[in-house]
Amino acid sequence: MNVFYLICLFVTICVVNGKMRPRGVSISMASKYQPNERNKFNCINGFGEIPYDHLNDDYCDCDDGTDEPGTSACANGKFHCTNAGYIPKYIQSSRVNDGVCDCCDGTDEYGGKIECVNNCKELGKAMREEQDQKRRLHEEGFKKRDGFIAEVKRIMEEKNVKIQELEKEKAELEVRLKELEALKAEHEGPEKEAKDRHEQVWKEQKEAKEKERSALRAREAFDDLDLNKDGFCDILEIIPHMEFDIDSNGIVSEEEAKEHLEDQEKVDFDEFSSKIWGNIQGIYKKLVPEEEKKETPPPVEPQGETETLVPPEEPQEEEHVDEEKMPEYDEETKALIAAADEARKKYEEADKRSKDIDGEITSLTSYLNTDYGKDKEFAVLRDQCYEYTDREYTYKLCPFSTASQRPKSGGHETNLGRWGRWEDDHYKTMVYDHGQNCWNGPDRSVKVHITCGPEHQLTNAYEPSRCEYAFDFVTPCACNQPPPVHDKDPHDEL
């Protein structure tokens, strides 16, 4: 600190570069404190004029407090800390000579209450070192950003070329699909005719066998009902069969029996099989003789150690071929089916490829149409994910896709939002919305605040308001042109 500056600390008005400057006034405001031709000072707001020697006389004359920049006389006054070598600033005039060093150059405490050490140069040096470090990191990020832009340009060109190739393949495939569809129809016609013929023959055979079995059951039922064997089934022979009890009163009346005989007194077998059997075969039950109804006494358990009795083998019923299962196709039909299957396979493969191409084109178009910043620098973040963990949750950000959180202790992942848009044209804030709904509240959403840094990193996650989250994300993509390096400290006013 030069001697001239020390003197200025203890006088009301200094002269710098030929201009008068009262204590507490910045160099940029010094011209407003020059005396007029009548040696008067005009209050800065234009309301009032005072003698020039009333400046900093510890009495507030101006309403705006501008006549006392170097004292605490005015409640609304402002004292300017020059802080040569560091950052100049204004403080409330009430803090002048209050025993606390507010200015790093100590100019606010000239009354003798306390001796302030001027540490502006040390603070300025530390600040410049910090600024230099930030500048270096910014330059590092900026170089990476340039690399990203070049990489993205190459990727975009590749994707455009890929779309053109896919569209060409799609056009060729559409022609091929029409040919394969015609070939498929050509083979499916004879296949269907052969299969229909085979199934019709099988159906007719089944119906014939069923008709034969039904006739046999009708004969057995008629013989069972014809108790007197006179060749007729009459009302009295129907009455013993309780399955014909229409009103479920435990008795088959003559009227009920006659109703089952289609209002006839008796019928012969031909009439029974053609008119009666079809109506009663679902409920008909063969009579069981009374002696067969008697219960068989339970077997007596053997006493003591005896050999295990093996029950006699029951006669096994003759196994019948499952007539419900259609027999195999003949060789000619099998060949027609194989040819149709091959035609269908080729068509389905081509159709699947066509749908896959549509999906690829949609995905590529979506990639190309997304807003990745002024120079598309943020495109390198797509298909990547970054995590940040605090005491309770692990947060995940997948740029241009989703944001989510999951408990550290385990559990389901909660969708906080899907990529929506940039909040403004400066590409500083991403918005992810339409996340999982909060109970009795809105859908979750996230704002991602982006700053410059040498690496991609999710550095913080918090919830400013219920169900509305905020992430801090550092990336070289946000490093624009770094500020120029100044040889001279712009804050050094003296």
Side-chain angles (χ1 to χ4, degrees), residues 197-392:
R197 281 196 304 271
H198 180 87
E199 291 172 11
Q200 182 62 31
V201 171
W202 172 58
K203 181 180 179 182
E204 290 172 356
Q205 290 174 348
K206 279 176 58 179
E207 289 175 351
K209 289 179 180 179
E210 179 58 31
K211 186 175 181 181
E212 182 180 343
R213 284 194 294 269
S214 180
L216 288 174
R217 290 195 298 270
R219 181 78 260 181
E220 291 175 359
F222 182 82
D223 291 344
D224 179 52
L225 288 168
D226 184 13
L227 296 175
N228 59 9
K229 306 304 177 185
D230 63 351
F232 291 94
C233 174
D234 57 32
I235 292 174
L236 295 178
E237 290 170 330
I238 289 290
I239 289 175
H241 287 262
M242 297 308 298
E243 63 268 23
F244 299 130
D245 180 11
I246 297 174
D247 57 10
S248 301
N249 64 352
I251 299 173
V252 179
S253 65
E254 290 187 7
E255 289 76 11
E256 290 172 330
K258 191 173 182 180
E259 184 174 342
H260 284 96
L261 290 177
E262 299 294 329
D263 291 330
Q264 300 182 70
E265 296 291 333
K266 61 181 181 178
V267 295
D268 60 13
F269 175 71
D270 290 340
E271 196 169 10
F272 176 84
S273 61
S274 62
K275 296 181 179 180
I276 309 301
W277 177 240
N279 297 328
I280 70 169
Q281 64 176 333
I283 61 172
Y284 166 75
K285 295 179 182 179
K286 186 177 180 179
L287 286 179
V288 179
E290 289 297 326
E291 56 270 16
E292 294 184 14
K293 295 181 180 180
K294 294 180 180 179
E295 294 182 0
T296 305
V300 179
E301 295 183 2
Q303 301 293 325
E305 295 184 1
T306 59
E307 295 183 1
T308 303
L309 297 177
V310 179
E313 292 185 2
E314 297 182 358
Q316 295 185 358
E317 296 183 2
E318 182 182 354
E319 294 184 3
H320 296 282
V321 178
D322 185 3
E323 296 177 354
E324 294 300 318
K325 184 178 180 181
M326 185 174 67
E328 287 189 4
Y329 294 112
D330 57 48
E331 294 305 317
E332 183 180 352
T333 303
K334 287 180 180 178
L336 292 172
I337 293 173
D341 284 345
E342 182 65 20
R344 277 189 290 268
K345 179 183 177 183
K346 289 181 179 179
Y347 176 83
E348 288 166 2
E349 287 175 348
D351 186 57
K352 181 180 182 300
R353 178 55 187 157
S354 177
K355 289 181 171 63
D356 289 344
I357 289 175
D358 289 339
E360 287 184 60
I361 291 176
T362 299
S363 177
L364 289 168
T365 303
S366 172
Y367 182 97
L368 294 173
N369 290 343
T370 301
D371 185 358
Y372 297 115
K374 180 181 178 182
D375 298 312
K376 302 187 183 300
E377 62 275 18
F378 289 96
V380 295
L381 300 175
R382 184 154 181 164
D383 301 325
Q384 306 296 321
C385 291
Y386 307 91
E387 292 189 347
Y388 169 78
T389 301
D390 63 10
R391 290 180 299 176
E392 296 184 60

